[in-house]
Amino acid sequence: MVSAFFAIGPGLGAPSSIVLWITCAVMIAAAIIFSIMTRSASPESRHFYYASAFIVLWAATLYFVLASGYGYVTQPGGHVFLFGRYIDWVVTTPLLLLDMAFVALPKGFPGRNALIATLLGADVYMILTGFAAAFIRTGFRWAFFGMSCAGFLVILYIIVTKLTPEAARRSPDVKKLYTQISPLLMGLWICYPIIWVLSPSGWGVFNAFVATLLFAVLDVLAKVGYGFVLLKQPATLNQAETQTVEATGASRVATQY
Ligand code: RET
């Protein structure tokens, strides 16, 4: 019974499976803690808490699927393709970016919706083309890898040239929070394509177990670590939601869009 539950599917070794189960447990624990932390949130800023709890809950679900032997296929040639990863990322990465955009851009900021839509669109494009790159086993996959990197560059461009300057106009506390989450997000996210290239999906410098371990560590830092930094500052999140656009002087730059 227990062994049926802790099934290790063909292709995925026991060490990888253990890493996936542990990560699943960490995500569940984070979902519970984030839900409890909601109690310190004001009604205006509660969505940050719900989003963070949902992000780790969704990740826990996908880690559960992967660990129990269903979220991957063994392709001809023996390559194990963990497609479940991309089902996790396509849902969670837009929400992580949305949190950051809400901290950077005050409500009513001109062009806010269009900017956020572009940011999230580029992100979904990055993940879906990344999925294609990982699925395709011929050299053709590098074309999709390039497309995915282009999506990623758009994200970084919007963060650096739009979100960061706007965040600098916000109240000292909100500005400080942004300077904590933004480098954290960019620093961690940049590691993903690097690990991908070195993993069996790319050049195969290291094996599937090392890739599973490194992606698990990154996923925990990018979701749980990032979530904690954000949610442990309820007063600042409330300010981020209630500060008016006039207070930031943002309307002066409206014509830039
Ligand atoms: C891939 C491979 C193709 C090129 C690029 C990638 C970028 C992936 C990123 C993923 C971020 C995931 C996060 C998960 C959450 O916890 C798809 C690896 C550019 C940036 C933050």
Side-chain angles (χ1 to χ4, degrees), residues 89 93 96 126 130 145 148-149 152 189 192-193 196 219 222-223:
W89 296 346
T93 54
L96 292 165
M126 172 184 81
F145 177 81
S148 182
C149 287
F152 192 31
W189 285 40
Y192 281 85
W196 192 95
D219 278 355
K223 292 184 171 90

Side-chain angles (χ1 to χ4, degrees), residues 15-26:
S16 294
S17 194
I18 290 165
V19 168
L20 295 169
W21 280 119
I22 292 173
T23 315
C24 175
V26 170

Side-chain angles (χ1 to χ4, degrees), residues 8-203:
I8 300 165
L12 194 74
S16 294
S17 194
I18 290 165
V19 168
L20 295 169
W21 280 119
I22 292 173
T23 315
C24 175
V26 170
M27 295 293 183
I28 292 172
I32 294 169
I33 295 169
F34 287 170
S35 305
I36 294 170
M37 287 172 85
T38 306
R39 288 191 296 188
S40 61
S42 68
E44 289 80 9
S45 62
R46 213 160 271 170
H47 60 82
F48 285 108
Y49 292 76
Y50 295 146
S52 300
F54 175 71
I55 287 167
V56 286
L57 191 63
W58 184 253
T61 309
L62 266 302
Y63 269 98
F64 187 90
V65 172
L66 285 171
S68 51
Y70 296 102
Y72 61 87
V73 286
T74 306
Q75 296 177 306
H79 175 72
V80 181
F81 171 42
L82 284 82
F83 61 86
R85 246 185 230 315
Y86 299 83
I87 303 176
D88 169 354
W89 296 346
V90 78
V91 172
T92 56
T93 54
L95 293 172
L96 292 165
L97 285 174
L98 197 58
D99 278 342
M100 201 167 86
F102 285 164
V103 172
L105 308 172
K107 270 192 189 140
F109 175 77
R112 189 189 200 235
N113 292 348
L115 196 54
I116 290 176
T118 312
L119 187 65
L120 304 197
D123 179 72
V124 170
Y125 179 83
M126 172 184 81
I127 300 299
L128 294 182
T129 49
F131 168 88
F135 174 69
I136 294 166
R137 297 311 303 148
T138 64
F140 209 65
R141 70 186 186 282
W142 295 108
F144 288 93
F145 177 81
M147 294 177 211
S148 182
C149 287
F152 192 31
L153 288 178
V154 171
I155 296 170
L156 294 177
Y157 176 82
I158 293 177
I159 292 174
V160 172
T161 66
K162 312 284 181 194
L163 300 193
T164 304
E166 283 319 314
R169 297 169 184 274
R170 307 213 65 183
S171 69
D173 286 347
V174 177
K175 192 160 99 181
K176 185 159 155 263
L177 172 61
Y178 180 84
T179 57
Q180 291 167 355
I181 58 170
S182 170
L184 182 65
L185 182 143
M186 289 193 285
L188 290 170
W189 285 40
I190 284 169
C191 298
Y192 281 85
I194 297 172
I195 293 176
W196 192 95
V197 167
L198 300 175
S199 77
S201 293
W203 295 331

